[in-house]
Amino acid sequence: MQHFTSVQDVADPMVLVKKALAIKKDPFANKALGLNKTLGLLFFNSSLRTRMSSQKAASNLGMDVIVMNVTQDSWQIEMEDGVVMNGGTAEHIREAAAVMGQYCDILGVRSFPSLSDRDADYSEKIMNAFKAHAGCPIVSLESATLHPLQSLADLITIAEFKKVEKPKVVLTWAPHIKSLPQAVPNSFAQWLTQTDYDFTIAQPEGFELSEQFTKGAKIEHNQEAALKGADFVYVKNWSSFHDYGKVGTNGDWLVNQAKLANTNEAKVMHCLPVRRNVVIADDVLDSEHSIVIPQAGNRVYSAQAVFQEILEAHG
Ligand code: CP
């Protein structure tokens, strides 16, 4: 594995899921693999799970970790090429990424979209700049359009909890008060369509995701119909892709116990953080349906499987 920024960097997603599950059984077995290796974690945006699980995964592999909250702790970085830097930016990404690559064996980067300029967001300028200039493997800690470490953890969780060989998995849109990225649902769709699971995406009209990620999924605009017989219900808000960044507040799409009545005793997933009683009701989050905590726990083994693949490939 050279970089890890989408499912396309993975030879076989289900083989990586099996590797993560084996790591989970014996997390310290490869403590020597990361000896004298350094993981850099760069955050342009907030994080709880990604930051802590990546640090723990690196520690399990014996790696040292440097964490930087880029927008607070570093110089303001210029992303555009060919500009006269006589404004607020003090250092160009070409030097910043290259220097960080001198200090680190793997760099993790989190950079959210603006949600105001779709073409710019979907060009993945920041992630691609790190790939071009850092000179070391880059791991996405959530980019403008994708969150592959989350999706790998999601597949690990489904593999652990599934009761049938090919479960019905439904990704359902839910309301929110803010404009949120499409990265988690894009990525989940991209990974799920690589499996042989029965996969449906449910969303109100106007909240369809980019077809580049959903090709192969069934699409529904009726949440009740979509949820019928589901084994897993993955709940997530996203802002509109087509009316780019538009917030969706339709409370009819909140997921509560009543919505689960016609499912196959579905397990409910969410990447977290989740706004209770806006996105998912208390009566689901506090019930046996919810597997959001073990799902978040699996972020450690998702990150550890990816770091281990990269360390094994690069020596
Ligand atoms: N799910 C997830 O990526 O959580 P954080 O934003 O807290 O890292």
Side-chain angles (χ1 to χ4, degrees), residues 41 43 47-58 300:
L41 296 174
F43 290 92
S47 171
L48 186 159
R49 279 143 290 272
T50 306
R51 178 171 172 158
M52 292 184 72
S53 61
S54 297
Q55 285 192 257
K56 181 155 175 62
V300 173

Side-chain angles (χ1 to χ4, degrees), residues 46-51 110 142 147 150 271-273 299:
S46 305
S47 171
L48 186 159
R49 279 143 290 272
T50 306
R51 178 171 172 158
R110 166 165 284 200
E142 187 171 345
H147 196 355
Q150 179 65 55
C271 61
L272 303 182
R299 290 294 305 274

Side-chain angles (χ1 to χ4, degrees), residues 262-299:
N262 291 324
T263 66
N264 187 24
E265 296 178 352
K267 293 299 182 192
V268 173
M269 304 175 71
H270 189 284
C271 61
L272 303 182
V274 64
R275 286 180 183 251
R276 280 175 171 251
N277 306 310
V278 173
V279 179
I280 306 178
D282 284 344
D283 65 6
V284 172
L285 284 167
D286 297 330
S287 76
E288 289 187 355
H289 285 285
S290 174
I291 55 171
V292 299
I293 302 304
Q295 180 186 359
N298 281 331
R299 290 294 305 274

